[in-house]
Amino acid sequence: MGLGTLSERRGWVWFLLVPSLLLIAAVVLYPTFWGMSLSFREMRLNRPDLGTGFVGFKHYVALWNDPVFWLSLRNTLVWVVGATMGEFLLGLTTALLVDRGLPGFRAASVLILLPWFLPNVVAGHIWALMLDPRLGVINDILVRIGVLDSYFAWFANPDTALGAAMVVEIWHGFPFFALLLLAGLKAVPLELYESAEIDGAGPFARFRHVILPQLQMIIVATVVLRVISLVNAPDIILILTGGGPGRASQVLSLYAFLKVSKEFNFGYGSALAMVLFVGLMGFSYLYVRLSNVLKE
Amino acid sequence: MRRRTALGLLAAPLIVRPATAQTASITYWHHFTSTTEFQGLEKVMALFTKRYPSIKLVQENIPNPEYMAKMTAATMANAKPNVAMVTAERVADLVAMGTLTDLSQRVKSWSRYTEYPAQAWSGCTVGGKIYGVPAFTFVDWMYYRKDWFDEAGLKAPTTMADFAAAAVKLTDPAKNRYGFGLRGGPGGYKFIIDLFEAWGSPIVVNGKPAIDRIKAAEALRFYTELLTKQKAVPASAPGDGFRQIMDGFKTGQTAMVWHHTGSFTEIAAALKPGTWATCPIPAGPAARVARMSYQFNGIANPAQADASWNWLGFWGEPDAGIAFLEETGYFPSNPIVAADPRITGNPLYAAAIETTKFGRLPQGFTGVAGWSDNVVQPEFQKALTGRSTPAQAVDAMIAGLEATL
């Protein structure tokens, strides 16, 4: 049978897909299933006496009874909801302002991207210095304008640590929304604005009935991407507070990281990671479904 | 043929081995961070290369917070460096993971083996096997503002009661001046464990949790009340790590700070001579506790073991120890070297020399690093910020220790 005959067969299509499937299996499926399997096994690198055998749902039961898990879960929800909303609102406002094409706004559209260019580690350290309770310029400004009586230790107070970290995250992440929403705004057909104006729509009505529907797809995509990123990356919190004081700002991804990197408990850390994985899958599915964005 | 000859002539300089050719190459992972540490390392490396020109030494810096994560990954991937720096509290974990190589035979037949005290070797011994060679030592002590103490008619405190009284007396929030730079942020757990022992509570005995709840809670109450009740430490204390307490002391915010000999050169560079001094950590009601934290070097990858061993042993040489001390202020681990007049002749080192007489090794049970970071630290912060009582915090620490062991 020649190659020409072979390529005429139905199975040829599957044969051509084999390299891609192998690559996906090696890069995506294997690590994912390996991570899943770890969560059902004992795996503490510094306790080889415990073995690495199958332990069923042991880690998940332990997690259910672990108060630090529930505290971290609550903090994660506050962190993700607060940061996403803050970034989205600031990003949308920025995109609407830049889209108006006022003088100087072209340059501003580049400047607003600067925070996004900074690595998380750099952004974290910059803000740690600006909010420093001894030398921080923000404390100095707040004292000078009478908002504070004295310098305040934002990251050392359990009531403000998570909020202060959230402010830093919002500053760092809002250009992501601004950039993509601005791209969406530029793609809105001018005819729609003109029609709305002829129909007597004011700015608010235009925003509600023209802009928002046109941006819906981008909003859904950016929110899903940003939520996934915020849930999975604890770097800003790790730099600014380390999850403290007293776990006041500890989120689940940081808890999993600490379990693995400090206690070498890969089994429990993987169980925590699986909770995040399933939670994100559920969120993404529900959010996309409820937003009706794929209906058409 | 002619072309081959020409190529051969061109390649000749590349294949002819020079007289000083390096026959072995070893990698060294460490977590030095400051400029002085790097200068010290470079000096020691230069001396080593002079002594062993046939060994190529390649150093790689890994930030301390990521050090264990990278060592874990390297162990799992079988990509370990030849030599790795190991702090005392990490020895047990790294041995359990299979990262370090048993050096017992080499160490016991080493000419300098008997120069070190037994304590130095016990810090890197697990199950009767030796896994490292001490490179240098961090000796805990206290820095204090001598000028402020003199003004207030105070002497360097020798007991915790004197220490607390001095902290209160030297505090003046109107001047943004506080008696003590309390480390409540990263690394602050260290002093909690020390204070438990100073109040008479053991931590682990025969591999079992042994914290005395009442004594430990008393110790924690004493320490946290410096903030919650006496207000003798900056309000930022729950988040203050090494950098913050050092800056606080150097900029005149705090009168006392606990650290080790490793910050000597930094303080000396920042403050005028005569305005500051050093003294041993004050004694608690039951014991005077300060740590002698040996920093070891161990062989992780046994390939090139002989060359690696030369590097390990070189840190015990007088020239290497003094060169490193001069740049960093870090104490030599070899007492013979520490007795050098260049050290004993400096009165500021007297406190460290005195501490070596009673200094203890850090806790070294398997899992101590995880328990310290993930349990002691946050529970201490909760007590420090009033989110729990000292007794509740100690209960949580005991529960965490039981889970660890």
Side-chain angles (χ1 to χ4, degrees):
Chain A
M1 193 191 301
L3 197 61
T5 318
L6 193 66
S7 65
E8 293 298 317
R9 294 188 162 215
R10 198 178 177 81
W12 181 247
V13 178
W14 295 104
F15 182 73
L16 289 175
L17 282 174
V18 165
S20 305
L21 290 174
L22 283 176
L23 193 67
I24 290 170
V27 177
V28 178
L29 297 180
Y30 176 73
T32 307
F33 286 114
W34 175 247
M36 280 181 190
S37 78
L38 271 185
S39 72
F40 295 104
R41 287 166 55 191
E42 194 65 76
M43 180 67 89
R44 282 173 68 178
L45 293 191
N46 59 351
R47 292 291 303 275
D49 54 307
L50 298 176
T52 56
F54 179 74
V55 293
F57 286 90
K58 179 189 163 189
H59 297 311
Y60 291 94
V61 173
L63 195 142
W64 184 264
N65 296 312
D66 180 359
V68 181
F69 165 74
W70 294 107
L71 174 68
S72 304
L73 181 63
R74 194 197 71 183
N75 285 345
T76 304
L77 290 173
V78 172
W79 167 252
V80 172
V81 171
T84 307
M85 284 178 64
E87 287 177 16
F88 171 71
L89 290 175
L90 193 57
L92 180 63
T93 308
T94 308
L96 289 170
L97 281 171
V98 173
D99 188 50
R100 297 190 68 173
L102 297 173
F105 273 45
R106 186 180 289 271
S109 63
V110 177
L111 288 177
I112 57 165
L113 289 175
L114 286 180
W116 186 252
F117 292 154
L118 289 175
N120 284 354
V121 177
V122 177
H125 284 294
I126 288 172
W127 276 87
L129 197 59
M130 290 205 298
L131 290 166
D132 187 271
R134 290 172 192 80
L135 316 160
V137 66
I138 291 178
N139 270 320
D140 191 53
I141 292 168
L142 292 175
V143 168
R144 281 171 192 267
I145 62 175
V147 175
L148 291 178
D149 293 329
S150 59
Y151 284 21
F152 189 77
W154 299 95
F155 299 119
N157 187 318
D159 295 325
T160 56
L162 188 61
M166 206 182 287
V167 168
V168 178
E169 180 57 56
I170 289 169
W171 173 85
H172 185 248
F174 87 90
F176 171 77
F177 282 97
L179 182 69
L180 294 177
L181 292 174
L182 182 61
L185 285 171
K186 295 290 183 197
V188 177
L190 285 176
E191 296 80 19
L192 290 179
Y193 290 117
E194 289 163 5
S195 303
E197 205 169 327
I198 291 165
D199 290 343
F204 180 72
R206 270 209 308 276
F207 175 74
R208 189 179 163 195
H209 298 296
V210 177
I211 294 174
L212 272 186
Q214 290 293 312
L215 290 182
Q216 192 187 15
M217 180 74 93
I218 291 177
I219 290 172
V220 171
T222 49
V223 166
V224 169
L225 288 174
R226 201 69 195 116
V227 165
I228 290 171
S229 170
L230 283 166
V231 168
N232 283 333
D235 36 11
I236 288 263
I237 291 182
L238 182 63
I239 291 160
L240 295 173
T241 68
R247 303 193 188 94
S249 59
Q250 181 148 294
V251 291
L252 272 180
S253 53
L254 181 58
Y255 189 38
F257 171 75
L258 293 175
K259 276 284 173 189
V260 169
S261 67
K262 303 287 184 186
E263 297 179 26
F264 317 108
N265 194 340
F266 282 69
Y268 197 83
S270 296
L272 286 164
M274 287 315 300
V275 170
L276 290 175
F277 178 73
V278 172
L280 281 173
M281 293 254 290
F283 161 78
S284 302
Y285 174 76
L286 283 176
Y287 183 67
V288 172
R289 196 179 165 88
L290 291 175
S291 66
N292 288 328
V293 77
L294 299 178
K295 222 171 187 179
E296 292 166 17
Chain B
M1 184 69 187
R2 190 183 297 167
R3 191 175 167 205
R4 256 187 213 172
T5 311
L7 280 173
L9 284 170
L10 281 172
L14 301 175
I15 54 175
V16 171
R17 181 172 288 177
T20 56
Q22 290 171 322
T23 55
S25 177
I26 54 170
T27 49
Y28 175 50
W29 283 11
H30 61 85
H31 45 76
F32 291 126
T33 43
S34 68
T35 312
T36 55
E37 285 178 332
F38 269 99
Q39 286 165 349
L41 176 64
E42 279 170 15
K43 266 195 167 182
V44 177
M45 284 177 67
L47 290 169
F48 178 76
T49 306
K50 202 173 169 186
R51 169 81 69 87
Y52 299 101
S54 62
I55 301 173
K56 184 185 177 190
L57 179 63
V58 181
Q59 60 88 15
E60 189 176 337
N61 169 255
I62 293 142
N64 199 23
E66 287 107 56
Y67 194 75
M68 284 303 274
K70 183 144 185 187
M71 284 299 280
T72 309
T75 304
M76 297 286 280
N78 202 19
K80 296 181 287 186
N82 297 102
V83 182
M85 180 189 277
V86 187
T87 58
E89 64 270 26
R90 289 171 175 166
V91 171
D93 282 339
L94 287 172
V95 170
M97 270 189 244
T99 309
L100 298 175
T101 307
D102 177 13
L103 300 172
S104 306
Q105 276 195 334
R106 282 182 186 272
V107 167
K108 287 180 180 168
S109 57
W110 186 35
S111 59
R112 294 194 180 277
Y113 172 60
T114 52
E115 291 177 1
Y116 291 81
Q119 181 173 257
W121 296 113
S122 66
C124 58
T125 300
V126 179
K129 294 176 181 171
I130 300 172
Y131 289 91
V133 174
F136 53 91
T137 320
F138 291 128
V139 183
D140 284 357
W141 61 2
M142 188 176 97
Y143 299 94
Y144 66 98
R145 288 297 298 260
K146 190 170 182 314
D147 49 352
W148 297 2
F149 270 71
D150 290 345
E151 269 174 32
L154 294 168
K155 286 185 176 173
T158 55
T159 67
M160 286 295 174
D162 291 345
F163 161 76
V168 171
K169 192 167 183 183
L170 292 168
T171 295
D172 184 356
K175 290 184 182 171
N176 192 30
R177 183 184 281 190
Y178 295 89
F180 179 54
L182 188 149
R183 185 171 179 173
Y189 60 78
K190 180 198 137 32
F191 297 110
I192 301 306
I193 298 171
D194 294 356
L195 286 166
F196 285 180
E197 292 184 33
W199 256 254
S201 167
I203 307 297
V204 171
V205 176
N206 296 328
K208 304 283 178 200
I211 293 177
D212 182 314
R213 185 177 180 275
I214 293 171
K215 288 174 180 169
E218 261 317 299
L220 191 58
R221 185 183 309 284
F222 164 83
Y223 198 53
T224 54
E225 281 186 352
L226 289 171
L227 173 67
T228 59
K229 196 173 170 185
Q230 321 273 22
K231 310 286 183 198
V233 304
S236 59
D240 286 349
F242 165 74
R243 181 47 41 213
Q244 288 75 26
I245 61 165
M246 279 296 125
D247 287 347
F249 186 72
K250 289 191 303 184
T251 57
Q253 188 190 30
T254 54
M256 294 180 278
V257 69
W258 292 349
H259 198 241
H260 52 62
T261 44
S263 44
F264 180 84
T265 50
E266 183 177 340
I267 299 285
L271 295 174
K272 287 180 187 167
T275 61
W276 62 285
T278 56
C279 68
I281 300 280
R288 190 165 211 173
V289 177
R291 302 293 174 187
M292 298 264 296
S293 303
Y294 289 96
Q295 302 291 301
F296 302 97
N297 286 321
I299 295 182
N301 182 350
Q304 306 288 1
D306 290 340
S308 300
W309 172 254
N310 287 337
W311 175 236
L312 262 62
F314 190 70
W315 283 86
E317 299 290 330
D319 285 352
I322 298 287
F324 198 64
L325 172 85
E326 284 172 349
E327 291 298 330
T328 61
Y330 296 3
F331 244 57
S333 54
N334 185 340
I336 302 283
V337 183
D340 189 282
R342 285 171 285 182
I343 297 173
T344 53
N346 186 340
L348 285 169
Y349 278 129
I353 293 165
E354 189 182 339
T355 301
T356 58
K357 294 169 190 161
F358 64 87
R360 303 178 182 193
L361 289 176
Q363 291 290 329
F365 57 89
T366 303
V368 64
W371 175 67
S372 303
D373 263 315
N374 289 356
V375 181
V376 178
Q377 182 64 29
E379 295 303 333
F380 160 46
Q381 286 182 321
K382 280 164 81 173
L384 198 57
T385 54
R387 294 297 165 106
S388 69
T389 64
Q392 287 169 333
V394 167
D395 284 342
M397 291 177 200
I398 293 171
L401 186 58
E402 285 166 355
T404 300
L405 296 171

